[in-house]
Amino acid sequence: MLAGARWRRGARVTGRRFLSAAGVGALAFVAGLATTIAADKGGRDDLSADDAARVAAVIRPTTDFSTAERFEARSAGAGTHMKRVTRMAFSQPLANLSRKDETEFRFGNGLFEKLWVSSPSSTRASDGLGPLFNARSCQSCHVRDGRGRPPEAPGASAVSMFLRLSVPPETDADRKALATKAVLSVPEPTYGGQLQESAVTGLAAEGQLHVDYTEETVVLAGGDTVRLRRPHYRVTNLGYGPMHPKVQLSPRVAPQMVGLGLIEQIHEADILRLADPMDADGDGISGKASMVRDHDGTLVLGRFGWKASMPSVLEQSAHAFSGDIGISNPLMPDAFGDCTARQPDCRGMPTGEQANLGATEAPDPVLAMVVHYSENVAVPARRDVGDAAVLRGKKAFYGAGCASCHTPKFVTRRDAPNPAHRFQLIWPYSDFLLHDMGEGLADRRPVGDASGRDWRTPPLWGIGLTKTVSGHTYFLHDGRARTLLEAILWHGGEAEASRDAVVDLPPSARADLLKFLGSL
């Protein structure tokens, strides 16, 4: 429980005092917590007492904003990509991969970019697309391994954004499945768990997502104004009849791919220690863990996805193959993907399963190679960590309480399976917990432990290169924010005090804060 590192609801930070008494108390508490980790290893079964002491010293939050911290530029430790920044900055292998692992990374990248085709096909090893799908390849959503975007014009395809679908539980069986976490949500009876905007030849697509916006103005200290756009979602051209009257819709843009394997190797105890689900200290922050079942049925910590609904890169990749592309794999063996029993035409289409290649459309080692690639995409080095404005912005970031949820650093497991991931000091800027982000960002669609107002704290590493890699600056789960400042201003709920602190900053300090974020 990271109690002292939280901001009390209603707190303010003025331009004259970036690090308030509450902020100082927060840093003191986390420093004490680091000492506790050294004393009892904090639940980390991978550390010796000496290791625990080293970790405690390294993760101790800084109180010195006059200079960059040691190793701060290396966001992913020894694996940080130090090459010149280009639009391919998110597509490089971890710098400390073995030669063998780097070769396998290249093979995995080829499969990540592979375009799947419908069955039957002369390509044989590439057929199995759909029958309903959102994209033909992993790269179609994660362009250059960056973040997706909402459709920019009415009627435009939402290739790198999709719509999650579910309904409230209506039967005892539904309620039991949710209670036991056999499922995290109840799919829409006809359209399944995700709207599929594309279909193979001869089959109707499920429909088309449309986004309309209304705008509202926020006035900042110093007189600056920002126009926020509030999205409104609707689905047209439904191909299989009306949806359930209580359908819950939740848009999601594809996240960036960097550092996933390192995130997976953050010890579970280090994340759980930050949680305070009942807000026991009364500070208005109640980060909670998302506990989910893995493919073996074991209850484990979810840390991937906008609602932390996936426990591993393997699970995330397998579900994306099935739900986004319609490709069956060893974890998700249904060759018809998200086609439901109410879509008989879909389930009657040819599949890409071929007995001589394996039991699924993406048999081993296809899934394993894509997972290997996804686990080892490097995080680029920070830029300008010692710049005076960046350091002032970092101080403002801490002073506004942003570091309470966007936890700057962790040390990965000593016993990680891949040596490249072991005992690395990483700077993801996330606690990987669920937080109530207020009514403005609510999708009103519960998923497992996440309520309709909860979102996982997204990692911030690499965020300053979004324009360079992805060609846009759309942020948040649905891309509504067109700038980092807009993204901050949408924060509510547990982050309301931090948002208000940023609003209250004088323009020069706010510019410094944004420059710090741009350096990540």
Side-chain angles (χ1 to χ4, degrees):
M1 175 172 67
L2 193 56
R6 307 303 193 187
W7 275 83
R8 299 199 178 278
R9 190 177 300 277
R12 293 288 191 276
V13 178
T14 68
R16 296 184 296 277
R17 187 177 65 177
F18 295 137
L19 195 62
S20 72
V24 172
L27 298 179
F29 181 88
V30 178
L33 179 62
T35 302
T36 300
I37 294 173
D40 67 3
K41 300 194 291 185
R44 286 195 58 165
D45 54 7
D46 63 318
L47 298 181
S48 67
D50 287 344
D51 280 348
R54 291 173 62 191
V55 170
V58 167
I59 68 169
R60 189 181 300 274
T62 187
T63 55
D64 180 6
F65 300 98
S66 65
T67 186
E69 297 175 69
R70 192 179 183 194
F71 307 123
E72 189 172 2
R74 291 185 172 267
S75 297
T80 305
H81 156 40
M82 304 296 292
K83 298 178 182 179
R84 183 173 65 89
V85 170
T86 69
R87 66 177 191 160
M88 301 304 293
F90 288 176
S91 300
Q92 305 303 314
L94 290 173
N96 59 341
L97 281 183
S98 69
R99 182 170 298 178
K100 175 178 179 292
D101 278 347
E102 185 169 348
T103 298
E104 292 182 0
F105 176 91
R106 304 296 180 189
F107 283 126
N109 185 28
L111 291 169
F112 193 83
E113 296 177 351
K114 174 180 181 175
L115 292 173
W116 294 84
V117 298
S118 58
S119 304
S121 162
S122 59
T123 58
R124 296 186 62 77
S126 295
D127 60 347
L129 177 68
L132 295 168
F133 61 95
N134 289 102
R136 292 182 58 199
S137 72
C138 305
Q139 188 75 208
S140 297
C141 292
H142 305 276
V143 178
R144 292 185 294 276
D145 301 286
R147 75 180 63 227
R149 64 193 304 166
E152 290 195 284
S157 175
V159 172
S160 58
M161 179 182 186
F162 54 84
L163 199 62
R164 294 284 194 210
L165 309 173
S166 60
V167 295
E170 295 183 330
T171 67
D172 289 342
D174 288 344
R175 285 183 279 273
K176 181 179 180 181
L178 290 171
T180 61
K181 296 190 175 177
V183 300
L184 299 183
S185 61
V186 180
E188 203 282 334
T190 301
Y191 291 88
Q194 186 168 317
L195 182 74
Q196 311 285 346
E197 288 198 288
S198 299
V200 298
T201 301
L203 186 69
E206 290 188 323
Q208 186 171 22
L209 166 66
H210 290 266
V211 190
D212 301 301
Y213 297 98
T214 55
E215 291 200 347
E216 49 203 68
T217 302
V218 176
V219 180
L220 310 177
D224 291 342
T225 61
V226 177
R227 297 282 289 175
L228 301 183
R229 58 177 192 171
R230 184 180 297 274
H232 308 277
Y233 299 97
R234 56 193 172 91
V235 180
T236 62
N237 301 323
L238 288 172
Y240 298 86
M243 286 188 177
H244 191 286
K246 295 183 180 179
V247 65
Q248 299 162 328
L249 309 177
S250 184
R252 312 286 174 83
V253 294
Q256 62 191 30
M257 296 292 294
V258 299
L260 300 183
L262 292 165
I263 292 172
E264 189 167 351
Q265 295 307 318
I266 298 172
H267 199 289
E268 185 175 283
D270 282 351
I271 296 174
L272 295 178
R273 190 184 305 110
L274 301 176
D276 182 15
M278 303 305 294
D279 191 19
D281 57 5
D283 67 353
I285 302 292
S286 54
K288 62 184 179 183
S290 171
M291 303 304 295
V292 302
R293 295 201 182 275
D294 65 13
H295 61 280
D296 292 325
T298 305
L299 201 62
V300 295
L301 177 68
R303 61 183 79 191
F304 296 104
W306 288 104
K307 297 255 184 183
S309 58
M310 291 292 162
S312 66
V313 180
L314 171 62
E315 298 268 356
Q316 181 81 26
S317 301
H319 280 78
F321 257 129
S322 177
D324 299 346
I325 313 177
I327 298 295
S328 61
N329 57 78
L331 264 65
M332 305 289 289
D334 188 344
F336 298 102
D338 198 36
C339 296
T340 70
R342 296 187 183 184
Q343 298 170 325
D345 289 347
C346 179
R347 301 197 71 84
M349 299 297 289
T351 75
E353 292 179 347
Q354 299 170 56
N356 63 314
L357 297 179
T360 60
E361 293 164 328
D364 290 329
V366 173
L367 176 61
M369 294 177 73
V370 170
V371 169
H372 179 80
Y373 172 76
S374 302
E375 287 177 339
N376 292 295
V377 179
V379 184
R382 287 270 311 275
R383 285 85 49 215
D384 303 321
V385 293
D387 179 84
V390 168
L391 290 169
R392 291 194 302 269
K394 179 181 175 182
K395 184 175 182 180
F397 181 86
Y398 277 70
C402 305
S404 296
C405 299
H406 289 284
T407 304
K409 48 190 170 176
F410 293 89
V411 173
T412 60
R413 298 185 66 107
R414 176 64 105 172
D415 56 359
N418 188 329
H421 302 157
R422 289 177 192 162
F423 214 51
Q424 297 296 317
L425 171 62
I426 63 173
W427 304 71
Y429 285 88
S430 172
D431 60 8
F432 303 99
L433 297 173
L434 298 169
H435 293 275
D436 180 343
M437 294 300 293
E439 191 60 28
L441 288 177
D443 67 352
R444 301 175 185 83
R445 180 179 178 268
V447 179
D449 291 316
S451 76
R453 292 164 54 108
D454 287 342
W455 299 97
R456 180 200 68 157
T457 307
L460 297 181
W461 55 7
I463 199 168
L465 294 177
T466 300
K467 178 69 172 179
T468 299
V469 172
S470 301
H472 66 79
T473 55
Y474 295 121
F475 302 106
L476 299 177
H477 68 280
D478 56 3
R480 70 177 68 185
R482 294 161 293 189
T483 65
L484 288 172
L485 181 56
E486 285 187 28
I488 293 169
L489 296 177
W490 274 109
H491 284 47
E494 298 173 41
E496 182 178 350
S498 293
R499 177 202 65 198
D500 290 349
V502 174
V503 169
D504 289 346
L505 288 173
S508 60
R510 201 158 44 242
D512 290 340
L513 172 63
L514 295 174
K515 188 165 186 180
F516 165 71
L517 293 175
S519 77
L520 294 179

